[in-house]
Amino acid sequence: MREVTPRSGGPLRRGKQVIGKPLLPQKESHMKFVGVDLHKKTISLCVVVKARGKIKVLGRKRFCCRPTEPIARYFKSLEKFQMTVESTIGYEWFVHLIEAIDDCRRVVVAHPSKMRVIAESTCKTDKIDAQILAEFLARDMIPAAWMPTPRVRQHRSLVRHRYRTQVRITQMKNRCRGMLARYNEDRASLFTKDGWTEAMSLPLLESEKWILCEMGAEIRTQAKFLKHADAQLVEFAETATAIEREQRELLATMPGVGVVTIDVVLCELGDVRRFTNSKQIVSYAGLDPGVRESDRKRKDLGISRAGSKMLRWAMIQLAWRVVRQSARWRYRYDQLKQRRGAKKAITAIARRQLTIIAAILRTGECYNVHDSAKSATRKAA
């Protein structure tokens, strides 16, 4: 047998094989990416890793939402991981559960409307949805949604509760007036003490009189709830931070802006710095106009109505108030009305009011009637 002599300063070699040099394992990323398809009762998970440019599925799991201990125990066993879940109803508890785990490196809340690949999939199951989310997270392609702070969430809960209570009162009043309109007895003073007493003395059908009494009782009950909601919002405003108090004072300098509008704007917009420009804020409120254009044909569509319904409602109500109270805005509204009609005109005023509010919150300056009028004139030109 021929003796193999080593070369100076190197390992032994026999042909292409290296003797005496240990083979080092290939260094790969141990970061795991978890896609979560969250429902009210169940959770579907898909865990993937990215190695050498390829994505490999490590495992799938399915849990019940209760109890949460098995979920936390499984995520702790993953060691280093990142997680993504869509921004659906009730995602907050799950995000807080995962963020409390030490090995969690990042949590991304995906924007559902921008994940069209899931919504438009022909083969849509919980297992596939979780895998798509995991693969997008591994490629860093998840369109992230903004997560409101605990104070903003609390503010939204109070404001939206008040809004629903007010909507319920309006619905009941409209039903009462509609019932009396069948007898040609609808009147503006119906919901005063004398007007209601007079309405109950009318020769109505017994069933309709009973329904009218029930709706009147519900209106009074909901009115009490509305007062309670207003009191809670007053207490909430008293605990505001210095920045929030300053924002409330700045918004109060705008004509037509009251406490309700201020609460809606602050809770729905949250941190205004998350919007890079005014167009994004307008789009968030669903006040952005749509357009379809192909070749030389162009068709203007209505507003998108996407985003915050309550913010859009508040801006429309504010637009009607400033049109009634301000001669400048009334003149601007009349100009638009002649060209585009009443609905498009008031929507344009609402859109402009929202951009002014955004500018006030960004710059920290009070409302200036002359600057806003000049800007509105430039927009008209």
Side-chain angles (χ1 to χ4, degrees):
M1 183 174 178
R2 195 179 73 177
E3 183 178 359
V4 180
T5 57
R7 298 179 182 178
S8 59
L12 296 176
R13 294 178 180 270
R14 180 181 291 123
K16 295 184 179 179
Q17 184 179 3
V18 180
I19 302 176
K21 185 176 182 180
L23 296 176
L24 297 177
Q26 183 73 21
K27 289 187 177 180
E28 295 183 358
S29 174
H30 296 287
M31 179 66 67
K32 299 177 181 67
F33 303 93
V34 186
V36 180
D37 191 35
L38 178 64
H39 298 281
K40 290 183 179 180
K41 296 182 179 179
T42 61
I43 301 172
S44 296
L45 309 177
C46 179
V47 183
V48 303
V49 292
K50 189 176 181 181
R52 300 177 182 177
K54 294 183 179 181
I55 294 177
K56 179 183 177 182
V57 177
L58 287 185
R60 306 178 194 273
K61 275 286 185 177
R62 189 178 182 90
F63 295 95
C64 293
C65 291
R66 294 181 181 177
T68 60
E69 288 78 9
I71 303 173
R73 190 161 51 247
Y74 175 77
F75 274 93
K76 289 178 182 178
S77 68
L78 296 177
E79 298 180 351
K80 295 189 300 181
F81 69 91
Q82 299 181 22
M83 189 275 293
T84 183
V85 62
E86 283 189 307
S87 176
T88 56
I89 295 177
Y91 77 91
E92 290 92 348
W93 71 268
F94 184 73
V95 169
H96 294 158
L97 176 69
I98 303 304
E99 284 180 336
I101 298 175
D102 295 335
D103 289 329
C104 178
R105 295 297 184 262
R106 185 173 64 141
V107 173
V108 181
V109 178
H111 200 299
S113 63
K114 294 181 180 179
M115 291 293 295
R116 303 299 301 173
V117 66
I118 293 179
E120 297 176 356
S121 177
T122 56
C123 184
K124 188 179 186 303
T125 64
D126 295 344
K127 181 172 70 173
I128 293 176
D129 292 351
Q131 182 174 344
I132 291 174
L133 286 169
E135 291 178 356
F136 271 61
L137 179 63
R139 295 186 173 95
D140 199 18
M141 294 172 59
I142 292 289
W146 179 70
M147 287 193 297
T149 62
R151 180 170 178 83
V152 172
R153 288 204 304 270
Q154 184 179 357
H155 198 188
R156 283 183 176 180
S157 297
L158 291 173
V159 174
R160 290 175 180 178
H161 172 71
R162 186 198 181 281
Y163 172 74
R164 295 187 190 102
T165 304
Q166 182 63 68
V167 168
R168 184 60 179 170
I169 292 174
T170 304
Q171 290 175 345
M172 290 295 101
K173 287 184 176 181
N174 290 340
R175 287 182 61 185
C176 291
R177 299 189 69 171
M179 185 176 294
L180 293 179
R182 293 199 291 268
Y183 296 89
N184 196 25
E185 293 292 344
D186 183 22
R187 62 198 69 187
S189 61
L190 174 60
F191 299 103
T192 62
K193 185 177 180 180
D194 295 337
W196 188 258
T197 303
E198 186 176 352
M200 296 305 297
S201 63
L202 295 173
L204 307 176
L205 296 175
E206 290 299 323
S207 60
E208 291 183 339
K209 186 174 289 188
W210 178 83
I211 293 173
L212 202 62
C213 289
E214 291 293 311
M215 289 193 293
E218 182 173 354
I219 290 172
R220 291 189 292 272
T221 302
Q222 293 292 335
K224 292 180 182 178
F225 292 160
L226 190 65
K227 289 182 179 179
H228 296 165
D230 288 335
Q232 284 293 322
L233 285 169
V234 169
E235 293 182 7
F236 182 83
E238 291 175 353
T239 61
T241 61
I243 295 177
E244 184 180 331
R245 287 197 298 269
E246 182 182 0
Q247 289 176 337
R248 290 178 179 272
E249 294 173 359
L250 291 173
L251 292 177
T253 62
M254 279 189 66
V257 173
V259 177
V260 175
T261 305
I262 292 174
D263 279 326
V264 172
V265 168
L266 293 182
C267 80
E268 291 299 310
L269 290 182
D271 187 1
V272 73
R273 293 173 297 180
R274 65 191 177 103
F275 301 100
T276 57
N277 52 54
S278 297
K279 289 183 178 180
Q280 290 185 356
I281 297 179
V282 170
S283 178
Y284 179 77
L287 291 170
D288 52 320
V291 62
R292 286 189 178 275
E293 186 175 6
S294 178
D295 195 15
R296 298 181 181 179
K297 296 181 181 179
R298 177 188 173 94
K299 181 181 179 182
D300 293 330
L301 306 177
I303 57 176
S304 65
R305 298 182 183 274
S308 174
K309 178 181 178 181
M310 191 165 59
L311 181 60
R312 184 166 60 254
W313 164 81
M315 291 301 101
I316 294 294
Q317 297 300 317
L318 174 60
W320 282 119
R321 287 196 296 272
V322 297
V323 165
R324 289 193 297 266
Q325 298 173 6
S326 172
R328 288 187 176 90
W329 289 109
R330 181 69 191 186
Y331 174 73
R332 176 71 182 123
Y333 168 77
D334 290 337
Q335 283 184 320
L336 291 170
K337 183 179 178 181
Q338 292 178 0
R339 289 167 26 210
R340 309 302 297 271
K343 289 185 178 181
K344 291 185 178 180
I346 200 64
T347 302
I349 299 297
R351 189 160 49 241
R352 182 59 193 149
Q353 294 297 314
L354 182 56
T355 58
I356 293 174
I357 286 175
I360 289 175
L361 294 177
R362 276 206 197 97
T363 62
E365 298 179 359
C366 296
Y367 176 80
N368 190 321
V369 63
H370 299 292
D371 290 345
S372 63
K374 292 177 182 178
S375 181
T377 305
R378 287 196 299 269
K379 292 283 184 181

PDB file of all heavy atoms in Angstrom, residues 33-37 43-48 61 75 82-85 126-127 129-135 137:
ATOM      1  N   PHE A  33     -41.140  31.582   9.183  1.00  0.00           N
ATOM      2  CA  PHE A  33     -42.179  32.530   8.813  1.00  0.00           C
ATOM      3  C   PHE A  33     -43.531  31.828   8.932  1.00  0.00           C
ATOM      4  O   PHE A  33     -43.741  30.771   8.326  1.00  0.00           O
ATOM      5  CB  PHE A  33     -41.961  33.043   7.391  1.00  0.00           C
ATOM      6  CG  PHE A  33     -40.621  33.674   7.178  1.00  0.00           C
ATOM      7  CD1 PHE A  33     -39.540  32.936   6.714  1.00  0.00           C
ATOM      8  CD2 PHE A  33     -40.426  35.016   7.464  1.00  0.00           C
ATOM      9  CE1 PHE A  33     -38.310  33.513   6.522  1.00  0.00           C
ATOM     10  CE2 PHE A  33     -39.180  35.610   7.281  1.00  0.00           C
ATOM     11  CZ  PHE A  33     -38.119  34.849   6.812  1.00  0.00           C
ATOM     12  N   VAL A  34     -44.419  32.429   9.711  1.00  0.00           N
ATOM     13  CA  VAL A  34     -45.689  31.792  10.036  1.00  0.00           C
ATOM     14  C   VAL A  34     -46.826  32.616   9.454  1.00  0.00           C
ATOM     15  O   VAL A  34     -46.957  33.816   9.745  1.00  0.00           O
ATOM     16  CB  VAL A  34     -45.874  31.644  11.560  1.00  0.00           C
ATOM     17  CG1 VAL A  34     -47.132  30.837  11.863  1.00  0.00           C
ATOM     18  CG2 VAL A  34     -44.649  31.010  12.192  1.00  0.00           C
ATOM     19  N   GLY A  35     -47.633  31.990   8.615  1.00  0.00           N
ATOM     20  CA  GLY A  35     -48.850  32.603   8.109  1.00  0.00           C
ATOM     21  C   GLY A  35     -50.046  32.078   8.887  1.00  0.00           C
ATOM     22  O   GLY A  35     -50.152  30.868   9.130  1.00  0.00           O
ATOM     23  N   VAL A  36     -50.930  32.971   9.301  1.00  0.00           N
ATOM     24  CA  VAL A  36     -52.051  32.601  10.164  1.00  0.00           C
ATOM     25  C   VAL A  36     -53.356  33.004   9.495  1.00  0.00           C
ATOM     26  O   VAL A  36     -53.533  34.158   9.101  1.00  0.00           O
ATOM     27  CB  VAL A  36     -51.940  33.289  11.545  1.00  0.00           C
ATOM     28  CG1 VAL A  36     -53.117  32.896  12.427  1.00  0.00           C
ATOM     29  CG2 VAL A  36     -50.629  32.924  12.212  1.00  0.00           C
ATOM     30  N   ASP A  37     -54.253  32.040   9.370  1.00  0.00           N
ATOM     31  CA  ASP A  37     -55.616  32.305   8.904  1.00  0.00           C
ATOM     32  C   ASP A  37     -56.527  32.230  10.127  1.00  0.00           C
ATOM     33  O   ASP A  37     -56.835  31.146  10.623  1.00  0.00           O
ATOM     34  CB  ASP A  37     -56.035  31.291   7.841  1.00  0.00           C
ATOM     35  CG  ASP A  37     -57.323  31.691   7.144  1.00  0.00           C
ATOM     36  OD1 ASP A  37     -57.542  32.899   6.941  1.00  0.00           O
ATOM     37  OD2 ASP A  37     -58.123  30.796   6.815  1.00  0.00           O
ATOM     38  N   ILE A  43     -57.946  28.462  14.248  1.00  0.00           N
ATOM     39  CA  ILE A  43     -56.771  29.118  13.690  1.00  0.00           C
ATOM     40  C   ILE A  43     -56.012  28.096  12.856  1.00  0.00           C
ATOM     41  O   ILE A  43     -55.727  26.993  13.328  1.00  0.00           O
ATOM     42  CB  ILE A  43     -55.847  29.660  14.799  1.00  0.00           C
ATOM     43  CG1 ILE A  43     -56.587  30.654  15.677  1.00  0.00           C
ATOM     44  CG2 ILE A  43     -54.615  30.325  14.211  1.00  0.00           C
ATOM     45  CD1 ILE A  43     -55.803  31.087  16.889  1.00  0.00           C
ATOM     46  N   SER A  44     -55.684  28.464  11.626  1.00  0.00           N
ATOM     47  CA  SER A  44     -54.878  27.606  10.761  1.00  0.00           C
ATOM     48  C   SER A  44     -53.511  28.250  10.567  1.00  0.00           C
ATOM     49  O   SER A  44     -53.424  29.434  10.231  1.00  0.00           O
ATOM     50  CB  SER A  44     -55.567  27.404   9.403  1.00  0.00           C
ATOM     51  OG  SER A  44     -56.795  26.725   9.565  1.00  0.00           O
ATOM     52  N   LEU A  45     -52.452  27.471  10.774  1.00  0.00           N
ATOM     53  CA  LEU A  45     -51.085  27.971  10.678  1.00  0.00           C
ATOM     54  C   LEU A  45     -50.325  27.235   9.591  1.00  0.00           C
ATOM     55  O   LEU A  45     -50.578  26.062   9.324  1.00  0.00           O
ATOM     56  CB  LEU A  45     -50.330  27.776  11.997  1.00  0.00           C
ATOM     57  CG  LEU A  45     -50.977  28.258  13.294  1.00  0.00           C
ATOM     58  CD1 LEU A  45     -50.088  27.908  14.468  1.00  0.00           C
ATOM     59  CD2 LEU A  45     -51.208  29.745  13.248  1.00  0.00           C
ATOM     60  N   CYS A  46     -49.386  27.938   8.978  1.00  0.00           N
ATOM     61  CA  CYS A  46     -48.447  27.342   8.041  1.00  0.00           C
ATOM     62  C   CYS A  46     -47.072  27.941   8.329  1.00  0.00           C
ATOM     63  O   CYS A  46     -46.917  29.167   8.352  1.00  0.00           O
ATOM     64  CB  CYS A  46     -48.851  27.595   6.590  1.00  0.00           C
ATOM     65  SG  CYS A  46     -47.708  26.890   5.384  1.00  0.00           S
ATOM     66  N   VAL A  47     -46.090  27.082   8.555  1.00  0.00           N
ATOM     67  CA  VAL A  47     -44.734  27.513   8.884  1.00  0.00           C
ATOM     68  C   VAL A  47     -43.826  27.188   7.710  1.00  0.00           C
ATOM     69  O   VAL A  47     -43.800  26.041   7.234  1.00  0.00           O
ATOM     70  CB  VAL A  47     -44.225  26.814  10.154  1.00  0.00           C
ATOM     71  CG1 VAL A  47     -42.835  27.332  10.524  1.00  0.00           C
ATOM     72  CG2 VAL A  47     -45.188  27.018  11.305  1.00  0.00           C
ATOM     73  N   VAL A  48     -43.089  28.181   7.226  1.00  0.00           N
ATOM     74  CA  VAL A  48     -42.163  27.978   6.112  1.00  0.00           C
ATOM     75  C   VAL A  48     -40.802  28.546   6.498  1.00  0.00           C
ATOM     76  O   VAL A  48     -40.684  29.369   7.409  1.00  0.00           O
ATOM     77  CB  VAL A  48     -42.674  28.653   4.818  1.00  0.00           C
ATOM     78  CG1 VAL A  48     -44.048  28.148   4.431  1.00  0.00           C
ATOM     79  CG2 VAL A  48     -42.666  30.170   4.946  1.00  0.00           C
ATOM     80  N   LYS A  61     -50.526  23.553  11.227  1.00  0.00           N
ATOM     81  CA  LYS A  61     -51.205  23.278  12.480  1.00  0.00           C
ATOM     82  C   LYS A  61     -52.580  23.928  12.462  1.00  0.00           C
ATOM     83  O   LYS A  61     -52.813  24.924  11.772  1.00  0.00           O
ATOM     84  CB  LYS A  61     -50.405  23.812  13.673  1.00  0.00           C
ATOM     85  CG  LYS A  61     -49.321  22.884  14.196  1.00  0.00           C
ATOM     86  CD  LYS A  61     -49.942  21.730  14.967  1.00  0.00           C
ATOM     87  CE  LYS A  61     -48.859  20.876  15.599  1.00  0.00           C
ATOM     88  NZ  LYS A  61     -49.448  19.787  16.420  1.00  0.00           N
ATOM     89  N   PHE A  75     -45.957  28.247  19.468  1.00  0.00           N
ATOM     90  CA  PHE A  75     -45.123  29.332  18.929  1.00  0.00           C
ATOM     91  C   PHE A  75     -43.794  29.426  19.677  1.00  0.00           C
ATOM     92  O   PHE A  75     -42.771  29.761  19.077  1.00  0.00           O
ATOM     93  CB  PHE A  75     -45.877  30.657  18.997  1.00  0.00           C
ATOM     94  CG  PHE A  75     -46.760  30.918  17.804  1.00  0.00           C
ATOM     95  CD1 PHE A  75     -48.093  30.553  17.820  1.00  0.00           C
ATOM     96  CD2 PHE A  75     -46.255  31.517  16.667  1.00  0.00           C
ATOM     97  CE1 PHE A  75     -48.905  30.791  16.728  1.00  0.00           C
ATOM     98  CE2 PHE A  75     -47.049  31.759  15.571  1.00  0.00           C
ATOM     99  CZ  PHE A  75     -48.393  31.386  15.596  1.00  0.00           C
ATOM    100  N   GLN A  82     -41.188  34.927  12.558  1.00  0.00           N
ATOM    101  CA  GLN A  82     -41.986  36.096  12.227  1.00  0.00           C
ATOM    102  C   GLN A  82     -43.393  35.613  11.903  1.00  0.00           C
ATOM    103  O   GLN A  82     -43.576  34.504  11.391  1.00  0.00           O
ATOM    104  CB  GLN A  82     -41.400  36.853  11.036  1.00  0.00           C
ATOM    105  CG  GLN A  82     -40.005  37.392  11.264  1.00  0.00           C
ATOM    106  CD  GLN A  82     -39.476  38.148  10.066  1.00  0.00           C
ATOM    107  OE1 GLN A  82     -40.239  38.616   9.224  1.00  0.00           O
ATOM    108  NE2 GLN A  82     -38.154  38.260   9.963  1.00  0.00           N
ATOM    109  N   MET A  83     -44.382  36.440  12.193  1.00  0.00           N
ATOM    110  CA  MET A  83     -45.768  36.023  12.019  1.00  0.00           C
ATOM    111  C   MET A  83     -46.570  37.098  11.304  1.00  0.00           C
ATOM    112  O   MET A  83     -46.344  38.290  11.511  1.00  0.00           O
ATOM    113  CB  MET A  83     -46.391  35.721  13.385  1.00  0.00           C
ATOM    114  CG  MET A  83     -47.778  35.075  13.341  1.00  0.00           C
ATOM    115  SD  MET A  83     -49.131  36.284  13.197  1.00  0.00           S
ATOM    116  CE  MET A  83     -49.056  37.123  14.760  1.00  0.00           C
ATOM    117  N   THR A  84     -47.515  36.677  10.458  1.00  0.00           N
ATOM    118  CA  THR A  84     -48.433  37.611   9.808  1.00  0.00           C
ATOM    119  C   THR A  84     -49.838  37.074   9.896  1.00  0.00           C
ATOM    120  O   THR A  84     -50.065  35.849   9.849  1.00  0.00           O
ATOM    121  CB  THR A  84     -48.047  37.842   8.334  1.00  0.00           C
ATOM    122  OG1 THR A  84     -48.943  38.812   7.767  1.00  0.00           O
ATOM    123  CG2 THR A  84     -48.137  36.562   7.522  1.00  0.00           C
ATOM    124  N   VAL A  85     -50.785  37.981  10.061  1.00  0.00           N
ATOM    125  CA  VAL A  85     -52.206  37.645  10.122  1.00  0.00           C
ATOM    126  C   VAL A  85     -52.971  38.792   9.484  1.00  0.00           C
ATOM    127  O   VAL A  85     -52.551  39.951   9.540  1.00  0.00           O
ATOM    128  CB  VAL A  85     -52.657  37.429  11.585  1.00  0.00           C
ATOM    129  CG1 VAL A  85     -52.476  38.687  12.417  1.00  0.00           C
ATOM    130  CG2 VAL A  85     -54.105  36.967  11.646  1.00  0.00           C
ATOM    131  N   ASP A 126     -58.554  27.298   4.147  1.00  0.00           N
ATOM    132  CA  ASP A 126     -57.776  27.872   5.254  1.00  0.00           C
ATOM    133  C   ASP A 126     -56.308  27.488   5.146  1.00  0.00           C
ATOM    134  O   ASP A 126     -55.418  28.303   5.421  1.00  0.00           O
ATOM    135  CB  ASP A 126     -58.346  27.385   6.587  1.00  0.00           C
ATOM    136  CG  ASP A 126     -59.763  27.883   6.830  1.00  0.00           C
ATOM    137  OD1 ASP A 126     -60.174  28.823   6.125  1.00  0.00           O
ATOM    138  OD2 ASP A 126     -60.446  27.343   7.713  1.00  0.00           O
ATOM    139  N   LYS A 127     -56.034  26.259   4.735  1.00  0.00           N
ATOM    140  CA  LYS A 127     -54.658  25.795   4.627  1.00  0.00           C
ATOM    141  C   LYS A 127     -53.903  26.574   3.553  1.00  0.00           C
ATOM    142  O   LYS A 127     -52.756  26.999   3.764  1.00  0.00           O
ATOM    143  CB  LYS A 127     -54.652  24.303   4.289  1.00  0.00           C
ATOM    144  CG  LYS A 127     -53.277  23.690   4.161  1.00  0.00           C
ATOM    145  CD  LYS A 127     -53.370  22.175   4.021  1.00  0.00           C
ATOM    146  CE  LYS A 127     -53.960  21.793   2.668  1.00  0.00           C
ATOM    147  NZ  LYS A 127     -53.893  20.332   2.444  1.00  0.00           N
ATOM    148  N   ASP A 129     -54.721  29.605   2.327  1.00  0.00           N
ATOM    149  CA  ASP A 129     -54.617  31.011   2.729  1.00  0.00           C
ATOM    150  C   ASP A 129     -53.445  31.221   3.685  1.00  0.00           C
ATOM    151  O   ASP A 129     -52.688  32.194   3.563  1.00  0.00           O
ATOM    152  CB  ASP A 129     -55.917  31.463   3.389  1.00  0.00           C
ATOM    153  CG  ASP A 129     -57.075  31.523   2.397  1.00  0.00           C
ATOM    154  OD1 ASP A 129     -56.816  31.386   1.184  1.00  0.00           O
ATOM    155  OD2 ASP A 129     -58.216  31.689   2.845  1.00  0.00           O
ATOM    156  N   ALA A 130     -53.296  30.325   4.659  1.00  0.00           N
ATOM    157  CA  ALA A 130     -52.184  30.453   5.605  1.00  0.00           C
ATOM    158  C   ALA A 130     -50.842  30.297   4.902  1.00  0.00           C
ATOM    159  O   ALA A 130     -49.882  31.014   5.209  1.00  0.00           O
ATOM    160  CB  ALA A 130     -52.331  29.404   6.707  1.00  0.00           C
ATOM    161  N   GLN A 131     -50.760  29.398   3.928  1.00  0.00           N
ATOM    162  CA  GLN A 131     -49.500  29.214   3.207  1.00  0.00           C
ATOM    163  C   GLN A 131     -49.156  30.429   2.357  1.00  0.00           C
ATOM    164  O   GLN A 131     -47.996  30.841   2.288  1.00  0.00           O
ATOM    165  CB  GLN A 131     -49.581  27.965   2.327  1.00  0.00           C
ATOM    166  CG  GLN A 131     -48.283  27.673   1.573  1.00  0.00           C
ATOM    167  CD  GLN A 131     -48.335  26.364   0.820  1.00  0.00           C
ATOM    168  OE1 GLN A 131     -49.193  25.527   1.070  1.00  0.00           O
ATOM    169  NE2 GLN A 131     -47.410  26.177  -0.123  1.00  0.00           N
ATOM    170  N   ILE A 132     -50.166  31.019   1.705  1.00  0.00           N
ATOM    171  CA  ILE A 132     -49.916  32.217   0.896  1.00  0.00           C
ATOM    172  C   ILE A 132     -49.383  33.346   1.779  1.00  0.00           C
ATOM    173  O   ILE A 132     -48.426  34.041   1.428  1.00  0.00           O
ATOM    174  CB  ILE A 132     -51.193  32.645   0.163  1.00  0.00           C
ATOM    175  CG1 ILE A 132     -51.554  31.620  -0.916  1.00  0.00           C
ATOM    176  CG2 ILE A 132     -51.027  34.025  -0.466  1.00  0.00           C
ATOM    177  CD1 ILE A 132     -52.880  31.892  -1.590  1.00  0.00           C
ATOM    178  N   LEU A 133     -49.986  33.524   2.945  1.00  0.00           N
ATOM    179  CA  LEU A 133     -49.516  34.565   3.865  1.00  0.00           C
ATOM    180  C   LEU A 133     -48.079  34.298   4.312  1.00  0.00           C
ATOM    181  O   LEU A 133     -47.256  35.219   4.369  1.00  0.00           O
ATOM    182  CB  LEU A 133     -50.442  34.637   5.074  1.00  0.00           C
ATOM    183  CG  LEU A 133     -51.820  35.275   4.857  1.00  0.00           C
ATOM    184  CD1 LEU A 133     -52.716  35.038   6.052  1.00  0.00           C
ATOM    185  CD2 LEU A 133     -51.686  36.761   4.578  1.00  0.00           C
ATOM    186  N   ALA A 134     -47.770  33.043   4.613  1.00  0.00           N
ATOM    187  CA  ALA A 134     -46.410  32.708   5.054  1.00  0.00           C
ATOM    188  C   ALA A 134     -45.392  32.955   3.952  1.00  0.00           C
ATOM    189  O   ALA A 134     -44.299  33.489   4.200  1.00  0.00           O
ATOM    190  CB  ALA A 134     -46.374  31.251   5.509  1.00  0.00           C
ATOM    191  N   GLU A 135     -45.723  32.567   2.718  1.00  0.00           N
ATOM    192  CA  GLU A 135     -44.781  32.770   1.609  1.00  0.00           C
ATOM    193  C   GLU A 135     -44.582  34.248   1.305  1.00  0.00           C
ATOM    194  O   GLU A 135     -43.464  34.689   1.018  1.00  0.00           O
ATOM    195  CB  GLU A 135     -45.295  32.031   0.376  1.00  0.00           C
ATOM    196  CG  GLU A 135     -45.242  30.507   0.511  1.00  0.00           C
ATOM    197  CD  GLU A 135     -45.791  29.803  -0.710  1.00  0.00           C
ATOM    198  OE1 GLU A 135     -46.287  30.511  -1.631  1.00  0.00           O
ATOM    199  OE2 GLU A 135     -45.735  28.562  -0.763  1.00  0.00           O
ATOM    200  N   LEU A 137     -44.803  36.628   3.477  1.00  0.00           N
ATOM    201  CA  LEU A 137     -43.993  37.162   4.572  1.00  0.00           C
ATOM    202  C   LEU A 137     -42.524  36.803   4.380  1.00  0.00           C
ATOM    203  O   LEU A 137     -41.632  37.620   4.632  1.00  0.00           O
ATOM    204  CB  LEU A 137     -44.510  36.610   5.900  1.00  0.00           C
ATOM    205  CG  LEU A 137     -43.756  37.064   7.153  1.00  0.00           C
ATOM    206  CD1 LEU A 137     -43.868  38.576   7.335  1.00  0.00           C
ATOM    207  CD2 LEU A 137     -44.289  36.350   8.386  1.00  0.00           C
TER     208      LEU A 137
END
